[in-house]
Amino acid sequence: MIRHLHPTDSPRILQFRASAGLGDTCTLVNALKGGPNRFPAAKYATIALSPRAWQNCWLESQNGKINGVLRAGPRSGKQAWEISELYLRNSKSSLILDLLEQIAVQAGGAGAYRIFIRIPIGSNASDFAQKAGFSTIYRETIYQTTSTHSPVTKLGISEDFLTLRPRYQADDGNLFRMHNVVTPMAIRIKTGQTSKDWAAGMERLGPKSSEWILDLPTGEIGALIQTSTTRTQHMFNVNWATNAGGQLGAIVAAALKETDDVSAVTAVPDYKPSLAHLLANIGFKKQATYEVMVKPLTQPTSETVSYTHLRAHETREERGL
């Protein structure tokens, strides 16, 4: 049966780790950090004991044995959910379909209009996701270099060539207009056709990330640069307007500025070949490719099992499974 993770599951979580394979999904940040890893038992044991964190975790168990664990929740707003982690006991891949169908019900019950998932290319999880109603939005490739300084030197552009300012909430309207111009229609249809829906599904590089805006002389936004830096890695993402395409090299240089000489990594969707070409020319190497998928959700009817309904009807016996 599929149910929420509970505090009494902590011992079973430790047992599950020994037989769990690599994760089948990941967020953008985790893709930039190397992709799915082995099941983090200590983290989930802590989540199980948290008063609220377990509410975003589900598991499949039979005869007191955990066979699968899934974690999901809102991306940047309640209208868009994302499956951040999915771990299965080896040889239990068929459970993916049940877990994905169940989490879609929970997301819809919580008010989401769509749910996203990111799957490594070559994983059979993609086939099960399609059966569960997910469709591909785009493929993205992770590009990485061992040095942030080397690409800037190859670009031959001063770090201060562009004047940037912090992103403000008031920029959302102009950013959405830029998104509509530079993003293929087939992708826009799947990722949100209103400013609010698009903002809810937008991905960020973590709670400590920085976001910078390039303004054009016309008053339009020329680019959005997202960065997040640790002691060993610099993550960045760039999106730019058509009118700013001639400044793409300077935009990438700006995304790499003011960092120590550490590894730099970014994700490039397949509909941005100019960025992929530029990165390859300045020393970035392909690391992995992912399939980003989405499922549209319908709002629950009285017959739909909602999030709160599921919680209310978990019995004491189920909590001890």
Side-chain angles (χ1 to χ4, degrees):
M1 66 167 296
I2 297 172
R3 58 176 175 81
H4 277 296
L5 176 69
H6 295 302
T8 54
D9 290 315
S10 292
R12 299 176 184 86
I13 286 292
L14 299 177
Q15 297 170 1
F16 174 67
R17 183 177 188 270
S19 56
L22 289 174
D24 286 290
T25 70
C26 64
T27 62
L28 172 61
V29 170
N30 285 337
L32 294 174
K33 290 181 177 180
N37 292 311
R38 300 288 299 182
F39 180 69
K43 182 178 82 170
Y44 274 87
T46 301
I47 290 173
L49 298 174
S50 170
R52 298 188 64 181
W54 60 265
Q55 297 177 15
N56 285 336
C57 295
W58 288 260
L59 56 82
E60 199 283 340
S61 68
Q62 290 181 354
N63 301 321
K65 182 185 295 184
I66 295 176
N67 293 316
V69 176
L70 180 149
R71 192 177 186 192
R75 258 190 180 180
S76 295
K78 69 176 185 178
Q79 297 97 333
W81 272 38
E82 179 175 36
I83 298 169
S84 56
E85 294 177 332
L86 174 60
Y87 295 93
L88 298 170
R89 185 179 294 274
N90 290 326
S91 77
K92 292 289 185 178
S93 60
S94 60
L95 291 174
I96 296 177
L97 181 59
D98 291 339
L99 285 164
L100 294 184
E101 289 179 337
Q102 180 62 47
I103 197 59
V105 173
Q106 306 309 310
Y113 296 128
R114 56 189 56 81
I115 184 167
F116 295 90
I117 189 171
R118 177 179 274 99
I119 299 174
I121 293 296
S123 169
N124 66 350
S126 176
D127 295 331
F128 288 107
Q130 291 181 36
K131 292 178 182 178
F134 287 81
S135 62
T136 301
I137 312 172
Y138 55 82
R139 290 188 172 190
E140 69 179 11
T141 300
I142 306 300
Y143 283 84
Q144 187 169 19
T145 181
T146 56
S147 165
T148 54
H149 293 177
S150 177
V152 174
T153 300
K154 291 179 180 179
L155 285 168
I157 299 173
S158 168
E159 296 177 350
D160 299 322
F161 180 76
L162 299 178
T163 300
L164 305 176
R165 62 168 177 81
R167 175 189 174 179
Y168 302 114
Q169 187 173 357
D171 294 316
D172 284 358
N174 283 334
L175 284 171
F176 181 59
R177 282 187 281 274
M178 182 181 78
H179 164 79
N180 284 336
V181 172
V182 302
T183 307
M185 181 179 294
I187 295 174
R188 300 200 310 268
I189 291 174
K190 293 182 178 182
T191 56
Q193 298 184 61
T194 69
S195 176
K196 189 174 182 180
D197 287 347
W198 166 79
M202 188 175 182
E203 295 183 281
R204 290 181 166 84
L205 300 181
K208 296 183 179 180
S209 62
S210 300
E211 297 184 327
W212 302 91
I213 294 291
L214 169 66
D215 288 316
L216 296 177
T218 59
E220 301 171 303
I221 288 180
L224 170 65
I225 299 174
Q226 300 171 302
T227 63
S228 179
T229 307
T230 66
R231 290 187 303 171
T232 59
Q233 187 181 57
H234 178 70
M235 297 183 290
F236 71 96
N237 261 348
V238 296
N239 196 17
W240 65 97
T242 303
N243 293 345
Q247 303 182 70
L248 181 55
I251 292 169
V252 171
L256 296 171
K257 75 175 185 177
E258 297 179 0
T259 64
D260 294 331
D261 195 18
V262 296
S263 170
V265 60
T266 188
V268 182
D270 56 10
Y271 60 90
K272 293 184 177 180
S274 59
L275 177 58
H277 181 72
L278 173 65
L279 293 174
N281 283 342
I282 59 176
F284 281 77
K285 304 296 183 183
K286 294 181 181 180
Q287 299 299 315
T289 305
Y290 293 86
E291 194 169 7
V292 181
M293 309 177 76
V294 68
K295 177 178 180 177
L297 303 174
T298 56
Q299 294 306 296
T301 65
S302 59
E303 297 178 353
T304 302
V305 180
S306 69
Y307 171 80
T308 54
H309 185 80
L310 177 66
R311 290 180 58 192
H313 286 75
E314 288 173 338
T315 65
R316 292 180 181 271
E317 290 77 17
E318 289 170 348
R319 291 175 183 270
L321 283 176

